Amino acid sequence: MPEVNDLFVVVMGISTVFVGLVSIIVLCKILGVCCQLLTKKENEELPTSAPGTPVTATPTPAVIPNRRETVAAIAAAIAEDLGKDVSAIRIVSIEKL
């Protein structure tokens, strides 16, 4: 069995990694284009308002079901993260994002 040159092994290793990374980049680009096409189709299917109709951007307050339980869970999570007692935490407002 012939001996393999060290330089050949290095070049094959680097080229294998390079080809693999380029393949990953190409796959990501293809998936990105597919996702954009799918979101465009979904946006086109949504009904739009009539042209010339002004669109108001007044935020409507979101209704949080079980508000007390949600506030208690958030306070407990914050207290655990900060390492403090739950009674030491005061939640002023909660907004749904």
Side-chain angles (χ1 to χ4, degrees):
M1 186 165 185
E3 284 196 32
V4 180
N5 189 4
D6 292 339
L7 181 63
F8 177 75
V9 172
V10 170
V11 170
M12 285 300 292
I14 290 174
S15 62
T16 301
V17 169
F18 182 74
V19 168
L21 291 175
V22 169
S23 300
I24 291 172
I25 291 170
V26 169
L27 285 173
C28 287
K29 294 284 185 183
I30 291 171
L31 287 175
V33 169
C34 290
C35 289
Q36 286 179 351
L37 291 176
L38 288 175
T39 55
K40 281 184 183 179
K41 285 183 181 179
E42 289 176 1
N43 288 341
E44 289 173 358
E45 292 174 1
L46 294 176
T48 57
S49 61
T53 306
V55 178
T56 58
T58 56
T60 58
V63 177
I64 301 174
N66 302 327
R67 189 170 182 84
R68 289 183 182 217
E69 289 88 3
T70 304
V71 171
I74 292 171
I78 293 172
E80 181 68 29
D81 188 46
L82 295 176
K84 294 187 176 187
D85 190 35
V86 177
S87 61
I89 295 177
R90 180 177 174 215
I91 297 179
V92 177
S93 69
I94 296 176
E95 294 180 13
K96 191 172 183 178
L97 299 178

